[in-house]
Amino acid sequence: MDTIASLFSFITWPVSWVIVQFHTVYGAIFGPDTGWAWGLSIVSLVILIRICLIPLFVKQIKATRGMQTLQPEMKKIQERYKNDKQRQSEEMMKLYKETGTNPLSSCLPILAQSPFFFALYHVLNGIASGDTIGAVNQDLLESAQKAHIFGAPLASKFFSSESDVTALSASLTDVRVVTAIMIVLMSASQFFTQRQLMTKNVDTTVKTPFMQQQKMLMYVFPVMFAVFGVNFPVGVLVYWLTTNVWTMGQQMYVIRNNPTPGSKAQASYLERLHKSVTEHGKTRRRGEKAIVKAIVAKGRDRNEAERKFINGLNKAGLAAQADGNVVKSDTAVAAQSADGSTVATAAQPKRQQPKRQSKSQRQAKPAGESESKTSLTKSDEPQDAKPAGEQDAKPAAGAKKPAQKSGGGGRSKAQSGQRKGPQRPKSPSKK
């Protein structure tokens, strides 16, 4: 560990200088030789480093989202080469290269803060051995050696010898109890961080090597921290426990407000968003508009939670717009359905479908229907010229109309306009 820490000696002086500046502030409040002054200086160093790494964390989220967009293509490759694992891996690597994505992007924050971690380890190891390093002069060195965190010296380790611990005015039992508790908390926080990423913020519909990698890290990292933690000074354990807690809180915020599509976290987020939108009748924050805009743009490619969200808005009389806003359906042009097509909203009544008739109902027609058809047929045929009075005259109320058989109107003698000439002989069945 000392050899690795010496490789990052170029950053030792900046790290030690930042700790000294924070110690000046906290020393004026708690006393320069107290564990609170030196412990809070290390915690403040972690917070400062993590704030500087926020742009890298945002880049990590974007890269992770890019991996999520490749899930359909990954699924196709898995189905196509399910019997050839080597070809499947080659096609996956080819896809990563074409799209510019990196499966190891989730490790970027850890890799970026590794130099600061080893530089701090180098400074604290120098304090334990009585060497001045970087901005830590002799007075600060003596002050740091007197500082104790819950009875454990700042530079002591779990496997420190009893003589070394006694020289720092502490007991070996206190050192081992404090370091053991901090190692357990450090490993537990790392495991919980990876577990909530795997169980809440991963699209479980598609299994990819990326998911297998994250699952492996969920168990590997806590074991690594437990193994190497026994060789870390108390100050380094404070540093790593603080950065794990920061990562866990940062990830919880991202999972709650910007979850991965298709994950359980997205379903929970859309339920909360639906409740908020139906209560206020609109999207209130920029992040909510961005989420709604992305869902509307997907159209038929929406997942189950997104379709449920859109259908819930339609049932509440609301419609999601392409710009991310949500308006009432009576003022909207058209609301979009779960598959991207337009559907009738509360302001648009549904069209009633006619009832289907049975075969007997279709064949049984009223008597007036045949007469009306016959009269319509007669009115369309040309008639002989009659006086205007006879054409307009109506039959008397008591007069009976001659009975006509259906289809026999063409052979009636009273019918005018009958075609002259030889007629077609009657059918033998009618003789």
Side-chain angles (χ1 to χ4, degrees):
M1 185 66 70
D2 295 338
T3 304
I4 298 176
S6 62
L7 296 176
F8 298 95
S9 58
F10 64 94
I11 203 173
T12 300
W13 199 93
V15 170
S16 62
W17 183 84
V18 171
I19 292 178
V20 168
Q21 302 307 312
F22 281 122
H23 175 263
T24 303
V25 176
Y26 293 120
I29 301 174
F30 301 101
D33 299 336
T34 59
W36 286 103
W38 285 99
L40 290 176
S41 299
I42 297 174
V43 171
S44 300
L45 172 67
V46 175
I47 295 175
L48 179 62
I49 293 174
R50 296 309 300 265
I51 291 175
C52 294
L53 292 178
I54 285 178
L56 186 61
F57 182 73
V58 173
K59 186 177 180 180
Q60 174 194 3
I61 293 176
K62 291 181 179 180
T64 305
R65 292 293 186 271
M67 290 290 297
Q68 294 297 328
T69 58
L70 296 179
Q71 298 297 327
E73 298 296 330
M74 293 179 181
K75 187 175 182 180
K76 292 179 182 178
I77 293 175
Q78 286 181 338
E79 293 176 352
R80 186 180 303 172
Y81 305 106
K82 59 183 178 180
N83 297 326
D84 190 352
K85 298 297 182 181
Q86 182 177 359
R87 183 64 184 277
Q88 184 181 121
S89 301
E90 292 176 357
E91 293 296 327
M92 287 288 186
M93 293 297 105
K94 184 179 179 180
L95 180 63
Y96 295 151
K97 186 177 180 180
E98 291 176 353
T99 56
T101 55
N102 186 5
L104 300 177
S105 58
S106 59
C107 301
L108 287 177
I110 297 177
L111 296 176
Q113 64 180 328
S114 296
F116 302 97
F117 168 77
F118 288 110
L120 179 63
Y121 178 87
H122 193 44
V123 171
L124 294 175
N125 194 46
I127 293 174
S129 59
D131 299 330
T132 57
I133 296 177
V136 180
N137 53 29
Q138 187 64 33
D139 295 337
L140 293 173
L141 176 63
E142 296 176 358
S143 175
Q145 289 180 338
K146 296 177 183 178
H148 291 68
I149 298 178
F150 300 110
L154 194 68
S156 60
K157 306 176 185 178
F158 183 84
F159 285 138
S160 294
S161 62
E162 188 173 359
S163 59
D164 294 337
V165 174
T166 304
L168 297 173
S169 303
S171 65
L172 186 60
T173 303
D174 293 340
V175 171
R176 291 187 175 179
V177 169
V178 171
T179 52
I181 293 175
M182 295 184 71
I183 290 171
V184 170
L185 292 176
M186 183 176 62
S187 301
S189 60
Q190 181 66 36
F191 177 79
F192 182 77
T193 300
Q194 287 296 126
R195 187 176 183 275
Q196 71 173 350
L197 180 65
M198 289 296 301
T199 57
K200 295 183 179 181
N201 204 38
V202 172
D203 188 358
T204 57
T205 59
V206 182
K207 294 184 179 180
T208 63
F210 175 73
M211 293 178 59
Q212 298 298 327
Q213 175 198 9
Q214 293 294 324
K215 188 175 181 179
M216 180 184 65
L217 293 177
M218 182 174 65
Y219 297 100
V220 171
F221 275 159
V223 174
M224 289 177 59
F225 284 123
V227 172
F228 293 106
V230 294
N231 295 316
F232 291 162
V234 174
V236 174
L237 294 178
V238 172
Y239 172 93
W240 207 249
L241 178 60
T242 305
T243 192
N244 282 359
V245 173
W246 176 283
T247 302
M248 183 173 59
Q250 193 176 44
Q251 186 171 272
M252 290 177 63
Y253 176 82
V254 172
I255 291 176
R256 179 176 176 82
N257 296 281
N258 191 16
T260 300
S263 62
K264 295 181 180 179
Q266 189 199 30
S268 301
Y269 175 80
L270 292 179
E271 289 179 2
R272 298 192 304 268
L273 181 59
H274 176 265
K275 183 178 180 180
S276 175
V277 170
T278 53
E279 181 178 354
H280 299 91
K282 61 179 181 179
T283 51
R284 298 181 297 167
R285 291 187 291 269
R286 184 181 300 177
E288 294 178 352
K289 292 182 180 180
I291 294 293
V292 174
K293 182 179 179 180
I295 293 175
V296 173
K298 285 185 178 181
R300 296 180 181 272
D301 296 332
R302 297 173 190 150
N303 55 48
E304 183 64 26
E306 293 168 347
R307 288 194 294 267
K308 184 178 179 181
F309 173 72
I310 294 295
N311 290 337
L313 292 180
N314 293 335
K315 291 179 181 180
L318 301 172
Q321 304 299 297
D323 59 354
N325 291 315
V326 175
V327 298
K328 292 184 178 180
S329 57
D330 53 357
T331 59
V333 177
Q336 292 190 349
S337 67
D339 58 355
S341 59
T342 57
V343 296
T345 58
Q348 300 174 352
K350 295 183 179 180
R351 186 177 61 182
Q352 297 293 336
Q353 296 291 338
K355 294 182 179 180
R356 185 176 180 180
Q357 296 180 346
S358 62
K359 185 176 180 180
S360 59
Q361 290 176 342
R362 291 195 301 270
Q363 290 178 350
K365 297 181 180 180
E369 184 178 354
S370 60
E371 293 179 1
S372 62
K373 288 185 178 180
T374 305
S375 61
L376 289 174
T377 305
K378 291 180 181 179
S379 62
D380 293 337
E381 295 179 355
Q383 296 181 356
D384 296 336
K386 293 182 180 180
E390 291 183 10
Q391 292 180 1
D392 298 335
K394 295 182 179 179
K400 294 183 178 180
K401 292 184 180 180
Q404 296 180 356
K405 295 181 180 180
S406 177
R411 296 189 299 272
S412 178
K413 296 181 180 180
Q415 182 178 358
S416 61
Q418 185 176 1
R419 193 175 71 176
K420 298 179 181 181
Q423 301 295 323
R424 186 171 58 183
K426 297 181 178 179
S427 176
S429 60
K430 293 183 180 181
K431 288 182 180 181

